[in-house]
Amino acid sequence: MAKVTIGLALGSGAALGFAHIGVFRALEEMGYRADVIAGTSVGAVMGAAYLTGELENVAALARQTGIVGLLGYMDVTFSKGGLVVAEKIFERFRNTRTGITIDALPKPFGAVATDLGGGREIWLRDGDLLTGLRASCAIPGLFPPVQDGRHWLVDGALVNPVPVSLCRALGADFVIGVALASSRMPLPPAAPPSSREPAQSKAEHAAWLARVGSLLDDTTRSIGQSLFGERRVTPTAIEALVGSIEVMQNRIMKSRLVGEPPDVLISPVLGRIGVLEFDRAAEIVEIGYEATITLKPVIAAALARA
């Protein structure tokens, strides 16, 4: 019997993407290794990190710094189509393994991006690897679009959050999809306009910001304040932006998975872990691992039928 080509379709989800690390670990323990990988947004980053041996470096950076520390790698811009420029964080990982073209990876790989001008789904299968990953992760309004020839590319989650179709196009006979979603949006709790936080809570926020202040320059600190500073009655601009995109992504994901189902779908129960809680990377990895191990008999039975 001919060998079945196993593909992984890795979904978007910002910090929730660390669940992919647990998925990789569990599948290897079962004796399965992906022959083909396709990813969208953070799924593309994790897939590429897996193929280049950078997976632990990516996880370690998140564990050590969290979202506020990651902001220290970013340059604020108000004139390039986004709030922050992310080149520094991606260049942090450029080395002999990652400074290559996508088609030079050891296994077939593709990343999904969105053509901002026409709304088309773009499959990135060649060109500079880190540039392609940056395009796939370019959340509109937060990160600037990435130019690719005549196209301006943004986050692939706008069109295909779990790229099963790309995975099959790359040659996969059997596709394992990984869908990530949180029931917690990054918003402050609703409260009457007259309500205020207790003084102790405000003091705790101030002390926390002081501890991380050394990581941030003055301009970037203002972003940290908007993300993690004193809670307000209404959402900040970043909270509203990320929350809106998360709602849209989840709706699109459900629709696409109905029309293009994988052979097995792994959906880690991430509960109330927020999409910006990068400091909970270790916990998210374990949730991804457990979700995959639980499906061991399902994966084995499905592969036997393939």
Side-chain angles (χ1 to χ4, degrees):
M1 183 179 295
K3 179 182 180 298
V4 174
T5 301
I6 299 175
L8 280 180
L10 305 178
S12 57
L16 307 182
F18 288 105
H20 295 312
I21 298 177
V23 173
F24 286 131
R25 194 176 81 202
L27 289 176
E28 289 187 351
E29 287 184 10
M30 297 178 199
Y32 306 129
R33 294 186 67 89
D35 303 298
V36 170
I37 296 178
T40 296
S41 198
V42 71
V45 171
M46 292 301 177
Y50 176 73
L51 292 176
T52 57
E54 292 288 328
L55 205 56
E56 182 51 39
N57 290 338
V58 172
L61 178 65
R63 285 196 300 266
Q64 293 164 6
T65 64
I67 182 62
V68 174
L70 291 175
L71 288 173
Y73 286 94
M74 300 177 179
D75 296 320
V76 176
T77 177
F78 295 96
S79 61
K80 296 182 180 179
L83 189 59
V84 292
V85 177
E87 281 95 342
K88 286 171 66 176
I89 188 66
F90 283 93
E91 291 303 314
R92 156 76 169 71
F93 293 100
R94 188 175 292 277
N95 53 45
T96 55
R97 295 188 301 274
T98 63
I100 59 176
T101 58
I102 294 174
D103 53 349
L105 287 166
K107 294 183 178 181
F109 173 83
V112 176
T114 303
D115 176 9
L116 186 59
R120 294 186 302 118
E121 180 177 338
I122 302 296
W123 292 351
L124 302 173
R125 300 173 59 180
D126 53 26
D128 181 69
L129 174 61
L130 294 178
T131 300
L133 297 179
R134 187 157 51 86
S136 187
C137 294
I139 300 173
L142 190 58
F143 302 119
V146 175
Q147 187 173 10
D148 179 45
R150 294 179 296 173
H151 303 286
W152 288 100
L153 304 181
V154 294
D155 197 336
L158 299 179
V159 290
N160 196 354
V162 183
V164 175
S165 54
L166 173 55
C167 206
R168 295 198 189 280
L170 289 171
D173 304 313
F174 183 89
V175 176
I176 300 173
V178 184
L180 307 175
S182 171
S183 60
R184 176 184 172 192
M185 297 304 170
L187 303 175
S194 60
S195 69
R196 295 289 184 270
E197 286 192 323
Q200 181 181 4
S201 179
K202 291 183 179 181
E204 289 173 353
H205 280 304
W208 190 87
L209 284 170
R211 289 197 299 273
V212 301
S214 61
L215 294 173
L216 308 171
D217 58 32
D218 290 338
T219 310
T220 310
R221 190 180 294 114
S222 66
I223 299 178
Q225 179 69 41
S226 70
L227 279 167
F228 300 101
E230 179 181 325
R231 304 284 31 171
R232 293 178 289 185
V233 174
T234 58
T236 65
I238 290 179
E239 288 170 334
L241 174 64
V242 174
S244 298
I245 291 175
E246 183 72 3
V247 170
M248 177 179 61
Q249 170 189 312
N250 288 340
R251 296 277 185 169
I252 295 170
M253 177 173 66
K254 291 175 182 178
S255 176
R256 291 294 298 255
L257 288 175
V258 169
E260 301 166 349
D263 297 281
V264 173
L265 181 64
I266 300 172
S267 300
V269 181
L270 294 157
R272 297 188 61 78
I273 298 177
V275 295
L276 295 178
E277 294 188 273
F278 288 87
D279 55 334
R280 298 177 70 177
E283 179 183 353
I284 297 169
V285 169
E286 288 306 310
I287 293 173
Y289 173 83
E290 292 298 333
T292 308
I293 287 293
T294 300
L295 291 177
K296 180 176 181 178
V298 175
I299 295 172
L303 271 171
R305 296 192 300 267

